[in-house]
Amino acid sequence: MSFPTSPASNDRDRPADEDRARSAGRLVGRSVEQALLDDLLDSTSQGSALLLTGEAGVGKSALLDTAAERASGAGFTVVRIVGSQFGQNVGFSGLTQLLQPLAEEIPALPVRQAETLHAVQGLSDEQPAELLTIANAVQVLLSRTAAERGPVALVIDDPAWLDRPSAMVLGTVARHVRPGSLVLLAASRTGDESFLSGTGIPSHEVRALDEESATALVAERFPAMSARVRQRLVTEAAGNPLALLELPVPLNEAQQTERGPLPAVLPLSERLQRIFSVRVAALPSGTQELLLLAVLEGSGDLHVLERAVAGPDVLARLGPAERAGLVWVDSLTGRLVFRHPLTRSAVIELSTRAERQRMHLDLAEEFPEGSERRVRHLAAAAIGPDDRVAELLHDVAYRTLRRGDAVGALTTLLRASELSGSGTTKGRMLAEAACLGANITGDLRNVRSLLANAVSADPVGADSPAAATAAASQLLNGDGDADTAHRLLVAAIGSHADSGRADDNILREALHTLLMVCFFSGRADKWPAFDSAVADVLRHAPDPLLSVLRGAFGDPVHSAVSVLDVLDDLILDLTRETDPRRIVRTAIAAAYVDRLPQCRSALRRVVDDGRNGGAIATAIEAHFLLANDAYAGGEWDSLQDLTDEGLRWCATHDYRLLGCSGEFVRGRLAAARGDSRTALETADRLDGWGNPRGLGTLHVYASHIRALSALGNADFESAYRFLRPLSAPGRLPSHMPHSLWLFWDFAESAARTGHHAEAMEHVAAVRASDVPSISPRLAMLTDAAGAIAAPDAIDHELFERAIAAPGAERWPFDWARICLAYGERLRRAKAGGVAGVHLEAALSTFQRLGAQPWCARAANELRASGVHVTTASSAEDGRTPLTPQEQQIAQLAATGLTNKQIAVQLFLSPRTVAAHLRSAFPKLNVTSRAGLRDALTRSTASS
């Protein structure tokens, strides 16, 4: 077998790296097409043919190469024919490609047929015979080759470019494919007419890659490319494999790794220019001009185009472009749409700088003074420094940020710095870009170079709030140096807070960064400087979010109650909020005061924005806030995915300190589910990195994980030993919000180790601080902590009030732990029957969560009370999802009995009955007593 050399002109839609892809034997995202090829090659007993169609660069040639390799491996004789523009006018050039690898078989043919084919090859003095005679000779040659060597695979690329005589001969061959001897596979651009068009051969359209496959392809070929640049390329290429592999070619290393800005319209490589520019270049000059105007205008608004060209003939001038399949007008919106994004790039490539400048100026005149679109066109038209436009663009950058486009805001700031004539202005804008990049968009790796450029432009501005904030974020996530970050920020904020610019975006970024420095330091002595700076800012202009963060996040134990109403209003406004900073920071304020569930949808928008190439840093924070919410809400399976994705982003973008928050959530889940090894390794990592750097909150995280792991294993001594050093009993430390997540754990570990006085003292401090009024969950945990702290008699009132707390089912792990604690007390007091009610409820919930050590504790208590325990979940064995006690209570409720009447019959309190009904409702998929009867009937029938 041999392969003819393909004409060089046929590389017009082949990626330069396609040979490596074929040698690796792997095509990304082409499972459907590869299955079709397998079927084609497996059906030789019947004869088979297939025509692949698709746009240029979609990967048809790569599929042909794959088919050729598979056919060769399966024993086929593979013959390749490649149409080319050069060979189209050379008679029999296509047929010669077929005959060349089969030349050894020609002499064995009958004399007349051998002479005919030699004439076609130009190896004799005779002129080629009639086409029908030639077609007959080719068929005989293929039949003989199949008989001698095995079946033949005829692979034809670009049949539309074959010379006419070859096309007519091959058309005859295609119509008479002999079973068992020949497989014909061809690939042609969509819409191209060829000799195969009328043969009835089945066809398959090769479509663009889906987003997942496109992303995988770019990641595989360009592993060093940053995720956001990769997303931009995937969007621009619209699934075209050639474009995916060629678009990075004109980009330098800095642009591929986000150390330099990408152009507004991506440039095309020479190969892409040949594909996408040829049809644009063939259009009339007026149509090309209008397309350029449309690309620069950006929205496709025909009214703007009409005003800009000062004529009503826009649609008429667009006609040639529409007929060429380059654009279309959306009948619903009335806007001009480019069929492929790279056509826009081709239009730009064919224009001159002077043409683009003139059109930008024309477009700027179509928008009012001060409007964003006017400013952007003026900026695009500017050739040299223009301080007026730079300042206008600076304001546009923050408008862009407030509507949720953080990456666009950063790009706009960088363009504003390019247009700045003075070093002071340029330095300020570069420092602001570094600040926004570090805190919002995830450009932490570029901070150092941006700050160096800012200092070079304006050495005096090195201590500005923007520069200090960017440097502090880099210090925190790189070296973990909270002390230096604190000093930088306090000095910069102090020197600028009295400037009168209380609404300065950067000053607020500096304050938020200082807030996080204070939080992660875990030391109360860091907070007075923050409080002083916030007071100065609030004197100039009230800022509800800043006040709420200070109270609900900075020191919620002592200050949250006073700001909860304002926080609730801010959370309600999240449905309309577009600024990712405000969404995440509102959710941060909500985290310790149990209001994260109301922030979910807004946080998911921030995460989606990050996945789509938007603000990565805020998306990481949103990930871990959602993960904490999922932990509290018992959605532990989704928690793992959220945490894993967030930690991957932290590793990719060097956000080590942010990653510690994700590590904490992962470690806490591992502890709750009994994966002690993972939990303790996570705690060790947090301590190992945080302790030498004075990051006290990381030690609190680590202690929380270790204590929870110990509590699950009923190792109360160890849990007490981990928690006791964090705060003195009876004193909830200031500026340690995490104490709201620890007081119940401490109360249980202290009470179970005989330190009842400390437990009671701690609960008294919780009540004195008005913690129960912060949220129903904290009220529930306060009652439970008070009940378990009691040294002698069981405090039924507190336990039952905790178990029956409004909305208790929203915090299943906490609720089940309270049920377990009450059941343990009751069982030890010989109240086995009543104890079983609570122990069964606890076990059922722990099983659903996968909290294995807690399941074991509950099961052991049930066995000790004489109850047979089934460890398999009801969902797995097909029985009713209710515990026996829930089943009994639900059946009585279905008869119409009230909670009080049920309580009398079962010797329970009405609160306990209500708690078990609330647990039973979601299991039966009902929301009220009215649906109980039918739900119970369905449950009985299914079992």
Side-chain angles (χ1 to χ4, degrees), residues 170-191:
L170 291 172
T172 302
V173 172
R175 289 182 177 88
H176 301 89
V177 174
R178 293 185 60 185
S181 63
L182 179 66
V183 165
L184 188 151
L185 176 65
S188 179
R189 289 189 186 183
T190 301

Side-chain angles (χ1 to χ4, degrees), residues 445-462:
R445 292 168 297 176
N446 301 332
V447 166
R448 194 180 302 277
S449 61
L450 285 172
L451 286 179
N453 292 337
V455 172
S456 177
D458 178 27
V460 178

Side-chain angles (χ1 to χ4, degrees), residues 323-402:
R323 286 190 290 274
L326 298 176
V327 299
W328 59 287
V329 177
D330 189 327
S331 59
L332 293 177
T333 65
R335 294 182 181 273
L336 182 68
V337 180
F338 284 86
R339 290 192 181 274
H340 197 287
L342 291 185
T343 302
R344 299 183 303 116
S345 298
V347 171
I348 293 292
E349 295 281 352
L350 292 171
S351 67
T352 66
R353 180 72 181 86
E355 289 172 334
R356 294 194 296 272
Q357 182 187 24
R358 173 176 57 80
M359 289 190 181
H360 275 302
L361 290 173
D362 289 344
L363 287 167
E365 294 300 316
E366 299 304 316
F367 301 101
E369 193 75 34
S371 71
E372 179 177 334
R373 295 178 71 180
R374 180 185 179 89
V375 173
R376 290 194 181 278
H377 285 300
L378 291 174
I383 297 176
D386 189 327
D387 283 329
R388 183 184 70 86
V389 175
E391 285 295 342
L392 290 172
L393 204 57
H394 176 270
D395 293 338
V396 165
Y398 286 99
R399 278 188 257 168
T400 304
L401 178 60
R402 283 191 291 273

Side-chain angles (χ1 to χ4, degrees), residues 401-691:
L401 178 60
R402 283 191 291 273
R403 68 166 179 262
D405 184 4
V407 175
L410 182 62
T411 303
T412 304
L413 265 181
L414 291 174
R415 176 58 178 156
S417 73
E418 293 173 354
L419 294 177
S420 300
S422 70
T424 301
T425 305
K426 181 182 291 290
R428 171 169 62 89
M429 292 186 182
L430 286 171
E432 290 183 19
C435 171
L436 297 187
N439 276 13
I440 304 169
T441 63
D443 295 296
L444 197 61
R445 292 168 297 176
N446 301 332
V447 166
R448 194 180 302 277
S449 61
L450 285 172
L451 286 179
N453 292 337
V455 172
S456 177
D458 178 27
V460 178
D463 63 344
S464 68
T469 300
S473 293
Q474 189 178 48
L475 282 169
L476 278 173
N477 284 285
D479 301 326
D481 189 351
D483 289 339
T484 303
H486 189 272
R487 286 195 299 272
L488 280 174
L489 289 165
V490 169
I493 293 170
S495 64
H496 291 79
D498 293 326
S499 65
R501 298 186 66 184
D503 60 342
D504 189 349
N505 280 279
I506 294 300
L507 187 57
R508 296 179 189 282
E509 288 303 314
L511 285 168
H512 179 74
T513 306
L514 182 57
L515 173 75
M516 302 314 293
V517 169
C518 295
F519 169 75
F520 279 109
S521 73
R523 304 199 300 276
D525 63 313
K526 297 293 183 185
W527 286 92
F530 174 78
D531 291 338
S532 176
V534 168
D536 286 340
V537 169
L538 294 180
R539 274 199 299 272
H540 289 103
D543 184 343
L545 179 55
L546 195 54
S547 300
V548 164
L549 276 166
R550 172 61 186 84
F553 179 71
D555 191 12
V557 171
H558 304 101
S559 306
V561 173
S562 63
V563 298
L564 289 179
D565 288 343
V566 179
L567 173 59
D568 290 336
D569 289 340
L570 290 173
I571 291 173
L572 284 175
D573 289 340
L574 289 182
T575 56
R576 299 186 299 273
E577 184 59 69
T578 56
D579 189 336
R581 299 170 303 170
R582 293 187 64 83
I583 291 173
V584 167
R585 291 166 194 179
T586 301
I588 287 173
Y592 283 110
V593 294
D594 297 325
R595 282 158 170 78
L596 278 179
Q598 297 95 303
C599 305
R600 286 175 190 163
S601 60
L603 288 171
R604 286 172 184 146
R605 280 190 276 125
V606 175
V607 169
D608 288 341
D609 178 57
R611 288 172 178 158
N612 293 327
I616 292 291
T618 50
I620 290 171
E621 293 180 286
H623 260 107
F624 298 148
L625 288 163
L626 285 168
N628 274 304
D629 176 53
Y631 178 87
E635 298 172 6
W636 288 3
D637 293 332
S638 62
L639 183 158
Q640 189 69 48
D641 292 337
L642 278 168
T643 308
D644 288 348
E645 184 175 25
L647 288 173
R648 283 197 302 272
W649 286 0
C650 288
T652 299
H653 295 272
D654 299 337
Y655 282 91
R656 185 160 187 180
L657 186 60
L658 282 184
C660 290
S661 296
E663 289 275 9
F664 164 66
V665 183
R666 174 189 279 176
R668 189 160 58 143
L669 178 63
R673 283 189 156 171
D675 184 358
S676 298
R677 180 177 177 179
T678 298
L680 299 182
E681 286 177 351
T682 302
D684 288 344
R685 279 198 303 274
L686 291 169
D687 264 344
W689 196 67
N691 287 350

Side-chain angles (χ1 to χ4, degrees), residues 862-874:
L862 278 168
R863 292 188 190 100
S865 64
V867 177
H868 174 69
V869 178
T870 302
T871 56
S873 70
S874 58

